[in-house]
Amino acid sequence: MNNIEKAKKSDTYSVDAHLHVTGKTKYLDDLPELQGTLFAKVHYAKIAHGKIKNYNLEKALNIEGIVKIVTYKDIPGENQIGGIIPDEELLATDEVHFIGMPIFIIVAESEIAAHKADKLIEIDIEEKEIITDPIDAYKKNQFLSSPIKFALGDTENAFNNCEYVFEGTANSGGQEHVYLETQGAYAIPNADGSFLIYSSTQGPTAVQRTVARVLGLSMNKIEVDVNRIGGGFGGKEDQASPWAAMVAVSAFLTNRPVKYILERGEDLQMTGKRHPYKSNYKIGLNKEGKIIAYQASYFQNGGASADLSPAVLERTLFHGTNAYFIPNVEINAFSCKTNIPPNTAFRGFGGPQGMFVIEAAIHHAAKEMKVSPIEIQEKNLLFEKAEFSYGQLTEDCEAQRCWDQAKEKYNLEDKRKKVETFNNENDTVKKGLAVMPICFGISFTNTPMNNARALIHVYSDGSVGISTGAVEMGQGVSSKMIQVAAQSFGLSEDQIKLESTNTTRVANTSPTAASATADLNGKALQDGCDQIKKRLSDFFNKHWEITSNDHASFLDNKISIGSQSIDWTEAIGIAFLHRINLSAKGHYATPRINFNKETGKGHPFAYHVYGTAIFECTVDCLRGNYEIDSVELVHDFGSSMNKEIDLGQIEGGMVQGIGWMTMEELIYDEKGRLKSGNLANYKIPDIYSVPKTVSVQYLDTKGAELAILRSKAVGEPPLMYGIGAYFAINNAILAFNPNANVPYDAPMTTEKVLIGLYS
Ligand code: MTE
Ligand code: LUZ
Ligand code: MOS
């Protein structure tokens, strides 16, 4: 058994599962507070758009324990936190742009004092025009960034040659991240004017950069440390930075440690979410049901400032045609500026929003053509060397195989007949079936971000310490990093210690995002391990006077060359005495990838991940209630290095997708007030809404060269299976009422089902 096989054999390894289930895991708020720690709290705007006329902090400052109320005037550096576009103030200067926009930071001896003071701040804001709808914003030319367009073939002409052409609209709602651990940060001033920041972030470097900018300091004065976070789902890719900047400013001004952990209600009010989209589509097919042409315009509700919206918008286009080959495509996307909190990354990063529209278009076409959507989906799946609208060709395309395997293993034809029989025999209960193929590109679409580093120390007793830029947020990347190092050195996992993610040990990191964390950091880690192995190999060749200078093998706790072999611990002891460098810094930059934003063409993705899910649901046609009976899917894991962790990602992602598509209804009213501002009226999936049957099969494949240990990225792709739930329910409604006119408007809540049934 070689090392890779061995690493795969430990494919149920977890460094932290036992800590989680025994409640021992430590998060940011579990850090012991230093003596003298102060507590920050934001006073935010209660009006969605307006001019600040005047304010009075007097009463608030009189509360016992209030140390300071920070305004924009107190910020030592720049009052600016925009990552891609500098359009976002940390604290409002003279205008507010959404309800929840931070205006003041209250710094107090206790959280209770800060609470009291918050209620006593008086502020007079003159309301201005409020826009909450992306189409309204579009009509009024309110954009966050320039429109973008991808095109392939000659769409205009192609439509003229289509047998069928259908047009419509498809809207999808926002989604709240509901990470278990709310946003927060803890800043500690050092004697030399530098700062240590503990942050619940997916992007330690983003926090470091933002804090440096706001404090007017260079980045080397800011150390950011992340042990682990209690979930991020994209919500802490960019939006962990403001809280870190706020405690840093407060610590700077008071010269005391300052901490801020948001209450759930504050987090829901102030932070951005998945972007709601409104979209138009036009789809053209030939007689046989082949899609010949596709046109779509996406209107993204970006919120009040850009945040990551331009990048999210781009990924909507990358996934505009999902797992289908369409020869003529023209898709346009607009990032619309509205008066709600700036929306941000969320698992799938705009991809799901794009995929929902093509699936709606196919469903629409099928309905009109009186065939099953399954027929059209199957006829148009991607194949080898098929061109995406952005110019990349498929390689090792698994779209067809996932589909075929799902169809066969789960008896799709049989299932279709059974559902039909059930529906013929039942009047008030109907079943619906839908198939959801997925194709998701792996890499940051912004090519320069695809790089990572790792630091490795082999201590003189043979134990190993590793640091990478990866942030553990429940997705299991820590376990995977330990597996990679153990595999590289031929050691067991318990000989490897993974350190916290810290900007002084591993610098200039990309955020833990885009599902690419294990690939990027794992490959950097391999590079570092290889450097140490090379030094040890060279040394032992000399030490043992082997003239052929063979490569040493690192296996089973031993270093071996030819007939010579030595126990790892002993070997390290000897190498140390001979002054061999036992530390290394690894680096990795994904080869081959490129993308030209001007032309909209290139090869942006290291590889694609594929899969197919079959959904079956039951709708109570008197009440509009529904249940997802089963989700049965075949997923392309590549050659999974940790089947338990990867299975957890599939199940969690899929259920999160079902939540987005069916029950999570994010509502802002016309005044920009969040109506679903607590977890009683914003419903996320619980154990009762999980499909009764979930079956996951591993596609048998060798995986991709650019995936770590050929184990493909798994974090985001499964979310998009959830789209199948929407269409399964839609089909059940159609079984009850074939003339039902159900607008493509996700989420498919019980109310919408009931309206649809009797439409
Ligand atoms: N799984 C858990 N448990 N918690 C999370 O916050 N985030 C998801 C996914 N899976 C998340 C998760 C998102 S949005 C991404 S991009 C990936 O994990 C990031 O981690 P990876 O690159 O290691 O897959
Ligand atoms: N973040 C990002 C992402 O900055 N670029 C991406 O392409 C991306 N994709 C998915 C999730 N986060
Ligand atoms: Mo995930 S949306 O890339 O954090």
Side-chain angles (χ1 to χ4, degrees), residues 496-512:
I496 315 289
K497 162 80 160 60
L498 178 69
E499 307 296 345
S500 65
T501 313
N502 183 298
T503 54
T504 63
R505 262 180 275 116
V506 178
N508 306 324
T509 61
S510 289
T512 286

Side-chain angles (χ1 to χ4, degrees), residues 138 143 145-148 297-301 313 332-336:
Y138 172 80
F143 297 111
S145 56
S146 308
I148 46 176
S297 295
Y298 311 97
F299 302 90
Q300 177 197 57
N301 190 341
L313 192 72
N332 290 282
F334 305 89
S335 185
C336 306

Side-chain angles (χ1 to χ4, degrees), residues 237 308 311 315 345 348-349 440 443-446 449 511 513-515 716:
E237 181 173 337
L308 293 166
R315 204 176 258 279
F349 206 73
F440 196 75
S443 288
F444 288 96
T445 59
N446 182 28
M449 290 172 81
S515 307
E716 292 168 285

Side-chain angles (χ1 to χ4, degrees), residues 442 515-524 588 607 706-708 711-713:
I442 302 302
S515 307
T517 316
D519 284 356
L520 296 173
N521 291 277
K523 296 237 174 197
Y588 177 72
Y607 57 89
L706 296 181
I708 184 69
S711 180
K712 283 191 174 184

Side-chain angles (χ1 to χ4, degrees), residues 150-468:
F150 283 8
L152 178 71
D154 181 353
T155 313
E156 215 42 63
N157 257 323
F159 273 117
N160 295 330
N161 300 324
C162 289
E163 188 80 10
Y164 304 100
V165 176
F166 306 105
E167 290 183 65
T169 60
N171 304 333
S172 59
Q175 186 176 23
E176 164 58 47
H177 301 87
V178 202
Y179 24 66
L180 283 177
E181 181 191 26
T182 55
Q183 304 269 6
Y186 189 12
I188 298 161
N190 297 321
D192 63 358
S194 67
F195 291 83
L196 167 61
I197 316 277
Y198 294 103
S199 165
S200 178
T201 181
Q202 293 171 239
T205 294
V207 168
Q208 181 191 27
R209 194 181 296 119
T210 304
V211 169
R213 184 181 192 180
V214 169
L215 293 188
L217 296 175
S218 50
M219 282 170 76
N220 62 358
K221 299 257 172 62
I222 312 299
E223 172 184 357
V224 178
D225 190 274
V226 186
N227 179 34
R228 63 177 327 111
I229 67 177
F233 304 109
K236 296 169 181 170
E237 181 173 337
D238 219 38
Q239 298 208 353
S241 301
W243 328 108
M246 288 175 199
V247 289
V249 169
S250 305
F252 182 99
L253 296 171
T254 60
N255 199 28
R256 284 170 67 175
V258 182
K259 178 174 166 176
Y260 186 20
I261 311 277
L262 273 65
E263 287 167 23
R264 179 65 67 184
E266 293 180 308
D267 193 306
L268 295 172
Q269 282 293 333
M270 290 194 275
T271 66
K273 305 162 202 319
R274 180 188 296 286
H275 297 77
Y277 272 59
K278 289 195 168 173
S279 308
N280 307 321
Y281 62 81
K282 182 174 170 187
I283 188 168
L285 305 91
N286 70 10
K287 260 203 289 289
E288 287 79 46
K290 277 253 184 215
I291 306 170
I292 305 298
Y294 181 62
Q295 228 169 32
S297 295
Y298 311 97
F299 302 90
Q300 177 197 57
N301 190 341
S305 51
D307 191 271
L308 293 166
S309 295
V312 170
L313 192 72
E314 211 173 61
R315 204 176 258 279
T316 301
L317 294 186
F318 280 113
H319 298 303
T321 53
N322 188 16
Y324 310 107
F325 170 69
I326 305 178
N328 302 286
V329 179
E330 192 204 304
I331 43 186
N332 290 282
F334 305 89
S335 185
C336 306
K337 182 176 174 179
T338 60
N339 298 110
I340 64 173
N343 285 317
T344 194
F346 196 136
R347 209 170 193 169
F349 206 73
Q353 291 95 320
M355 289 186 188
F356 178 69
V357 181
I358 181 75
E359 293 301 330
I362 290 174
H363 190 265
H364 178 176
K367 209 163 81 177
E368 300 281 343
M369 290 162 67
K370 305 218 176 330
V371 297
S372 162
I374 298 173
E375 253 64 78
I376 299 180
Q377 289 175 309
E378 187 167 15
K379 282 204 179 96
N380 292 283
L381 288 174
L382 287 164
F383 45 83
E384 195 65 9
K385 300 264 177 291
E387 186 173 356
F388 289 101
S389 65
Y390 47 92
Q392 185 163 342
L393 305 183
T394 60
E395 274 170 47
D396 298 326
C397 177
E398 307 286 12
Q400 196 75 55
R401 285 185 61 217
C402 287
W403 179 282
D404 291 345
Q405 193 169 317
K407 185 175 167 181
E408 199 178 308
K409 291 267 163 73
Y410 298 120
N411 295 318
L412 180 59
E413 292 315 314
D414 202 35
K415 226 184 263 297
R416 287 172 72 173
K417 281 190 205 116
K418 278 190 188 142
V419 165
E420 212 182 302
T421 310
F422 179 94
N423 286 343
N424 287 335
E425 289 169 357
N426 290 277
D427 291 334
T428 58
V429 189
K430 296 288 180 186
K431 282 193 185 289
L433 198 65
V435 184
M436 182 65 198
I438 59 155
C439 167
F440 196 75
I442 302 302
S443 288
F444 288 96
T445 59
N446 182 28
T447 302
M449 290 172 81
N450 295 284
N451 67 88
R453 279 145 303 283
L455 176 68
I456 299 115
H457 297 315
V458 179
Y459 294 96
S460 57
D461 67 353
S463 62
V464 179
I466 58 172
S467 300
T468 75

